[in-house]
Amino acid sequence: MFDIQEIRSQFSILDREVNGKPLVYLDNAATSQKPNSVLEVCHAYYTELNANVHRGIHTLSQLATEEMELSRRKIQKFINAEHDFEVIFTKGTTEGLNLIAYILTQKLQKDDEIIISYLEHHSNIVPWQMLCERTGARLRVIPIDENGVLQLDYLDQYLSEKTKVVSVNQVSNALGIVNPIEEIIAKTRKNSDAYIVIDGAQSAPHFDIDVQKMDCDFFVFSGHKMYAPMGTGILYGKREILEALPPFHGGGEMIATCSFEGTTYAGLPFKYEAGTPNVGGNIALGAAVDFMNRVGRENIQNHENALLEYAQRQLLEIEGLKVYGEKAKRTGVVSFNLEGVGIASDVGMILDKMGIAVRTGHHCTQPIMSFFNIAGTVRASFAVYNTFEEIDRLVEGVKKAQRMLG
């Protein structure tokens, strides 16, 4: 049974008011709220277990280690990785993408090519630009059409023996468009030996992830967008690839032996986990996986898709409102503007006065905004705890903003 009120009761923050109005939180693509079960795990770590992991024989260190490694195994199952040591703890998607771009430096040379898409977050653009600057490689970009859909004919044209990396998101954070990852991976495998990187920041919170079936080389996502604390994330990489590539950071934990004459590196996953990890956050990420599994990922997906369909239908009844990517397959996000309202943030401020939290601006996707010749959008994004009544309040708020700003 999917009981929305029971689910909402697990998120204490949803009981608060903003500007004297009940909170309607529709900024989940930026970060989701955290259920009490996750917050309790964070609190329990710091009040009952607080110790560094992997480095002590004392009881607290051993217990903390067991809990963090249990979390790693939960995440392994969550994404269906073959091995738990293919799951690397990071600070989030951005760090994961930068890590990959850095460790691939020695694999690229002048005139090699990296393919990304027009739909990428800046975090899946800038690290590759930096890699191109280091190596002399070139960046190629799959364009989009007027609906925001990738034009994959260009991928066919771009793929060659020069292609060393193909890195695309599974879901656009700005528009919510679901990209045809399976088709992109199949085309890449057929026509090149490129490393395939998937940005799953906006897909992991919304539907099942199976990295083995997907057959990507790397998959990255953030914990804070899927009910876990900020500063948590995961890099998945295939065992043989991670073993062959160099480390990212140097320091404690990632060594086998260290002397002034030289250092040898530890095996996976520790080779890529230098320094003291976010132990409490990493354990809580496992608790967030537990929460999603209890609710059921199919239930989450069905509920959020129903919210999206309802929100788009209601919003499009407002004369002069444009939804970007309206005709594309999407999940979790409706991104829109009002005709005659020049600044999306003005709409966002009016909504905030009504207790409604949305995101406004370019959403770290300036190329998308340039394509549509706009400065930004109003973005409402959904999570499992959102309701149809909250969407009704959003629609009424947008209508009020239109009256005030039109």
Side-chain angles (χ1 to χ4, degrees):
M1 292 292 293
F2 183 83
D3 185 340
I4 186 63
Q5 294 307 319
E6 193 279 329
I7 290 170
R8 287 178 63 84
S9 72
Q10 299 179 50
F11 293 81
S12 297
I13 196 171
L14 299 181
D15 293 331
R16 70 160 294 167
E17 292 187 346
V18 172
N19 293 317
K21 305 290 176 57
L23 170 65
V24 174
Y25 187 81
L26 297 174
D27 193 21
N28 296 284
T31 195
S32 62
Q33 298 302 332
K34 323 306 175 194
N36 296 334
S37 59
V38 170
L39 299 177
E40 288 162 4
V41 166
C42 290
H43 184 261
Y45 168 73
Y46 284 108
T47 56
E48 299 174 19
L49 286 182
N50 187 38
N52 214 331
V53 292
H54 304 134
R55 300 179 188 179
I57 61 170
H58 64 82
T59 298
L60 292 186
S61 177
Q62 292 181 8
L63 291 173
T65 298
E66 289 172 6
E67 288 299 316
M68 196 175 88
E69 292 307 313
L70 174 60
S71 180
R72 194 191 306 272
R73 292 192 294 274
K74 291 176 182 178
I75 296 157
Q76 173 199 355
K77 293 179 181 178
F78 183 76
I79 62 172
N80 194 33
E82 185 175 1
H83 306 287
D84 61 354
F85 52 75
E86 295 175 317
V87 173
I88 311 299
F89 286 116
T90 69
K91 292 186 294 187
T93 305
T94 298
E95 184 179 52
L97 291 167
N98 277 274
L99 188 161
I100 298 165
Y102 177 83
I103 66 177
L104 291 179
T105 298
Q106 297 176 8
K107 297 295 183 179
L108 275 77
Q109 58 188 9
K110 190 175 186 299
D111 295 329
D112 282 341
E113 294 180 348
I114 299 167
I115 298 175
I116 61 174
S117 87
Y118 234 93
L119 287 177
E120 303 311 316
H121 187 281
H122 296 166
S123 295
N124 203 26
I125 299 174
V126 179
W128 305 115
Q129 291 175 327
M130 296 168 70
L131 179 56
C132 288
E133 291 171 0
R134 290 195 299 271
T135 63
R138 295 191 303 157
L139 197 65
R140 310 203 73 171
V141 184
I142 306 169
I144 55 177
D145 63 19
E146 67 277 6
N147 296 310
V149 176
L150 294 182
Q151 299 186 57
L152 291 188
D153 289 348
Y154 284 85
L155 176 62
D156 295 327
Q157 297 174 32
Y158 293 164
L159 285 167
S160 73
E161 70 279 356
K162 292 183 178 181
T163 308
K164 302 304 178 184
V165 180
V166 174
S167 185
V168 294
N169 61 39
Q170 192 168 14
V171 175
S172 162
N173 73 297
L175 306 180
I177 290 175
V178 180
N179 287 321
I181 294 301
E182 295 80 5
E183 183 178 357
I184 291 170
I185 292 174
K187 287 176 180 288
T188 301
R189 293 286 184 227
K190 181 179 179 181
N191 295 290
S192 80
D193 294 323
Y195 293 100
I196 299 173
V197 183
I198 303 299
D199 172 355
Q202 299 294 337
S203 58
H206 299 297
F207 45 77
D208 278 341
I209 303 298
D210 187 334
V211 294
Q212 292 190 73
K213 182 178 179 181
M214 194 183 296
D215 192 30
C216 57
D217 296 311
F218 301 98
F219 187 90
V220 293
F221 61 98
S222 298
H224 73 97
K225 298 179 190 293
M226 47 173 281
Y227 313 105
M230 292 184 181
T232 63
I234 293 297
L235 160 65
Y236 157 81
K238 287 183 176 177
R239 172 184 186 171
E240 61 273 17
I241 294 174
L242 292 176
E243 288 180 338
L245 291 170
F248 179 42
H249 290 143
E253 190 68 18
M254 51 76 69
I255 64 163
T257 62
C258 179
S259 70
F260 291 116
E261 289 69 42
T263 294
T264 58
Y265 304 127
L268 299 176
F270 309 115
K271 176 181 175 181
Y272 295 101
E273 293 182 352
T276 299
N278 180 1
V279 181
N282 292 343
I283 295 171
L285 179 51
V289 167
D290 290 339
F291 166 77
M292 293 181 68
N293 287 337
R294 284 196 302 271
V295 176
R297 280 182 275 176
E298 185 177 356
N299 289 333
I300 293 172
Q301 183 176 359
N302 290 340
H303 178 65
E304 291 172 345
N305 285 345
L307 291 171
L308 174 60
E309 180 182 351
Y310 182 73
Q312 177 163 300
R313 186 169 66 250
Q314 296 299 107
L315 286 167
L316 285 174
E317 290 183 1
I318 300 174
E319 186 175 354
L321 186 145
K322 176 178 176 59
V323 171
Y324 296 91
E326 172 191 348
K327 297 180 180 179
K329 180 182 179 182
R330 305 201 324 279
T331 190
V333 168
V334 58
S335 199
F336 62 92
N337 276 322
L338 288 168
E339 183 180 331
V341 176
I343 304 176
S345 59
D346 289 346
V347 178
M349 285 189 288
I350 292 172
L351 292 174
D352 180 60
K353 295 298 183 183
M354 302 173 68
I356 303 167
V358 296
R359 181 71 43 160
T360 63
H362 57 66
H363 316 299
C364 294
T365 58
Q366 289 183 339
I368 296 176
M369 303 302 140
S370 297
F371 176 85
F372 287 110
N373 195 31
I374 54 177
T377 68
V378 181
R379 184 187 71 185
S381 50
F382 311 114
V384 68
Y385 43 69
N386 289 127
T387 67
F388 297 98
E389 291 77 16
E390 289 180 321
I391 292 172
D392 290 338
R393 283 186 57 193
L394 169 67
V395 172
E396 289 307 308
V398 173
K399 290 177 179 177
K400 180 177 181 179
Q402 186 179 51
R403 291 193 298 270
M404 295 177 65
L405 299 169

